Amino acid sequence: MQKRTLIIGCGLSGTVLAERLASVKDEEVLIIDKREHIAGNVYDYEDKKTQISVHKYGPHVFHTSIKEVWEYLSKFTKWHYFMYRVKAFIDGKEVNIPFNLDSLHKVFPKYLANDLEQKLVRTFGFNKKVPILELKNTDDKDLQFLAEYIYQKVFLGYTMKQWGVKPEELDFSVSARVPVYVSLDDRYFQDTYQAIPLLGYTQMVQNMLTHQNIKLKLKTHFDFKDCKLNANSKYEYKDFGEFDRVIYTGAIDEFFNYTLGRLPYRSLDIVFERFDKEYVQSTAQINYPENYDFTRAVEYKYYLDEKSSKSILSYEFPCAYEEGKNERYYPIPDEKNQKLYEEYKKLTKELKNVHFLGRLADYKYYDMDKTIARALSVFAELN
Ligand code: UDP
């Protein structure tokens, strides 16, 4: 008999598994999502009033150096090649982010910028990436001065808004995502492949779900009440009914009914605003570490180079995730949360035929390409 798989969550992880199981293994798949749309947090749509594509859950620019991931997605979408360039508003100037050698010359007088540039190149090498928390550890007094400047101006305010804590209170990897770049390269990413799906992420996901073996049910909740720990604190799941296998891509703590406590997540209040002018800002994304309560402003027409006399921007106001009030966007990578996650992970080992993956189920701050790579590797393990 053909195997049947229930997939919970129709974001990138769930969609990749559905597509692979259906088209490679010819299995039947039911994929459910509590939202009224597919594609999870990469969902995009055309804003009717401006006819510009926007990302409902904030900016998503695809980038990867994993050839396998690029080739896999390329089966479902054509691409608009796009190298991301981000600026931050610092000391009244728009400077490149990651903070690079050009940024240095924007914010410091010439003699000072020249000195610091030479020291940076001599100490770390040209075209090298230096995480801010590493730069802060330097013994050199001038570089300490520079590190403190960048820390204060680029990282502290932004991170306090985004996460509610200082950079050093989070896992090192979070601020290291946007290192200081001893380079003239002004791109946000240096990956081999950088692009945006030509017809959008939603269409790409839609294309992945077309196989006849895949059934999709939106606005459908997974019933967590069926999951509980029994008296011996062994985990049991009662009713997967007709399904041989379950792929779960939602929040891991919710799956287990918060038995061990709640894992915290950050959320965003994303406010969209339309403008009656062609362009509002100089580039797609401007960060505001020092000003306002939002972290960044994104002007969407830059992404697909859409032409319009109007424009639409989003402003992100970070906040804590609260059940029923807003959505989970980011796991919060720190030691305490990682420990709790590990405890939940132990419970998953007691479950046969239930597979956990994705940003929420793995409690990991994955980029889109790492999400796809993880889903492909889970599929390989199922084989
Ligand atoms: N960050 C910062 N200032 C910036 C950009 C990034 O402090 O101008 C820090 C901040 O903590 C942020 C993290 O680096 O959450 C990762 O930034 P990224 O742009 O990768 O965040 P994402 O696009 O995933 O929200």
Side-chain angles (χ1 to χ4, degrees):
M1 256 239 316
Q2 217 179 25
K3 271 203 172 153
R4 296 206 66 203
T5 299
L6 170 66
I7 301 184
I8 298 151
C10 193
L12 288 177
S13 304
T15 299
V16 170
L17 261 303
E19 189 281 322
R20 292 284 80 188
L21 287 167
S23 66
V24 179
K25 289 170 78 84
D26 198 27
E27 290 188 14
E28 281 193 26
V29 174
L30 171 65
I31 183 163
I32 64 171
D33 201 293
K34 62 183 174 187
R35 290 179 177 165
E36 56 190 19
H37 62 72
I38 60 169
N41 280 12
V42 305
Y43 176 76
D44 55 13
Y45 62 95
E46 186 190 283
D47 173 58
K48 288 284 169 279
K49 291 200 172 139
T50 57
Q51 292 179 321
I52 294 165
S53 318
V54 295
H55 300 180
K56 183 172 163 71
Y57 302 93
H60 286 81
V61 174
F62 186 76
H63 59 101
T64 190
S65 293
I66 312 170
K67 196 173 171 58
E68 185 196 2
V69 167
W70 174 255
E71 287 177 348
Y72 173 71
L73 287 183
S74 300
K75 293 201 269 189
F76 307 100
T77 186
K78 290 203 161 89
W79 298 100
H80 172 74
Y81 298 119
F82 177 75
M83 303 247 184
Y84 210 24
R85 288 185 167 80
V86 172
K87 305 260 186 196
F89 205 69
I90 292 166
D91 282 353
K93 298 223 152 44
E94 282 179 11
V95 310
N96 295 330
I97 296 293
F99 193 97
N100 68 359
L101 296 178
D102 186 66
S103 316
L104 198 66
H105 286 273
K106 282 254 161 59
V107 296
F108 292 118
K110 207 171 171 184
Y111 75 95
L112 191 51
N114 283 341
D115 278 0
L116 290 169
E117 177 174 317
Q118 280 184 24
K119 276 218 162 153
L120 274 174
V121 175
R122 255 190 274 122
T123 310
F124 298 102
F126 185 64
N127 263 352
K128 287 288 178 315
K129 292 179 175 173
V130 190
I132 183 61
L133 296 180
E134 186 185 323
L135 188 62
K136 273 191 99 193
N137 278 337
T138 168
D139 295 332
D140 184 280
K141 266 191 151 171
D142 296 334
L143 291 181
Q144 267 174 15
F145 158 79
L146 175 65
E148 193 53 32
Y149 178 89
I150 299 174
Y151 175 82
Q152 292 288 340
K153 299 282 179 179
V154 179
F155 288 93
L156 185 58
Y158 190 109
T159 303
M160 288 302 297
K161 280 190 268 188
Q162 174 71 15
W163 301 96
V165 295
K166 295 179 180 169
E168 57 272 30
E169 292 173 82
L170 291 163
D171 192 86
F172 182 85
S173 61
V174 175
S175 52
R177 287 168 61 90
V178 186
V180 175
Y181 197 13
V182 188
S183 175
L184 289 170
D185 187 341
D186 62 352
R187 296 167 304 166
Y188 205 57
F189 311 112
Q190 277 66 46
D191 287 305
T192 313
Y193 307 101
Q194 309 188 32
I196 302 205
L198 189 61
L199 299 177
Y201 290 95
T202 308
Q203 186 60 54
M204 178 181 83
V205 169
Q206 183 74 59
N207 295 344
M208 295 167 82
L209 294 170
T210 51
H211 197 285
Q212 58 188 14
N213 291 5
I214 301 174
K215 303 262 173 313
L216 166 70
K217 271 194 187 176
L218 296 173
K219 291 192 257 177
T220 303
H221 280 262
F222 170 66
D223 191 355
F224 293 97
K225 287 183 206 71
D226 287 341
C227 310
K228 56 176 171 244
L229 293 170
N230 69 20
N232 302 323
S233 125
K234 278 275 172 213
Y235 179 77
E236 61 181 37
Y237 185 82
K238 282 205 307 215
D239 188 18
F240 288 136
E242 72 233 73
F243 296 101
D244 305 293
R245 184 197 288 126
V246 172
I247 309 279
Y248 180 78
T249 71
I252 190 166
D253 53 341
E254 187 175 355
F255 184 93
F256 290 102
N257 256 321
Y258 307 107
T259 321
L260 305 175
R262 281 174 189 261
L263 282 162
Y265 301 85
R266 288 302 276 178
S267 185
L268 297 173
D269 181 11
I270 301 180
V271 176
F272 288 90
E273 201 175 328
R274 297 186 189 93
F275 291 85
D276 222 353
K277 56 181 179 180
E278 199 179 353
Y279 286 98
V280 176
Q281 52 189 46
S282 62
T283 189
Q285 181 179 320
I286 300 194
N287 293 357
Y288 291 89
E290 295 190 287
N291 299 93
Y292 311 121
D293 295 330
F294 49 86
T295 47
R296 56 190 178 188
V298 173
E299 186 162 14
Y300 286 92
K301 69 196 313 183
Y302 281 105
Y303 284 173
L304 292 167
D305 196 19
E306 289 168 300
K307 304 296 177 202
S308 168
S309 57
K310 298 182 170 58
S311 197
I312 179 163
L313 276 75
S314 71
Y315 300 86
E316 291 169 55
F317 296 83
C319 49
Y321 164 71
E322 288 178 70
E323 196 181 354
K325 259 183 124 180
N326 51 24
E327 302 279 345
R328 295 176 178 93
Y329 281 76
Y330 301 86
I332 306 178
D334 70 14
E335 221 173 290
K336 185 165 151 268
N337 299 339
Q338 184 59 24
K339 262 199 180 145
L340 181 52
Y341 162 71
E342 298 290 343
E343 292 303 309
Y344 273 117
K345 195 167 172 214
K346 278 186 204 153
L347 296 183
T348 69
K349 303 265 188 274
E350 298 176 23
L351 285 164
K352 282 207 186 83
N353 297 328
V354 187
H355 305 269
F356 293 77
L357 70 151
R359 218 185 229 215
L360 301 179
D362 286 337
Y363 200 70
K364 255 214 170 108
Y365 189 176
Y366 289 133
D367 284 329
M368 289 183 278
D369 66 328
K370 301 296 184 317
T371 304
I372 306 271
R374 164 93 172 118
L376 292 174
S377 92
V378 168
F379 174 70
E381 281 164 29
L382 292 181
N383 279 327

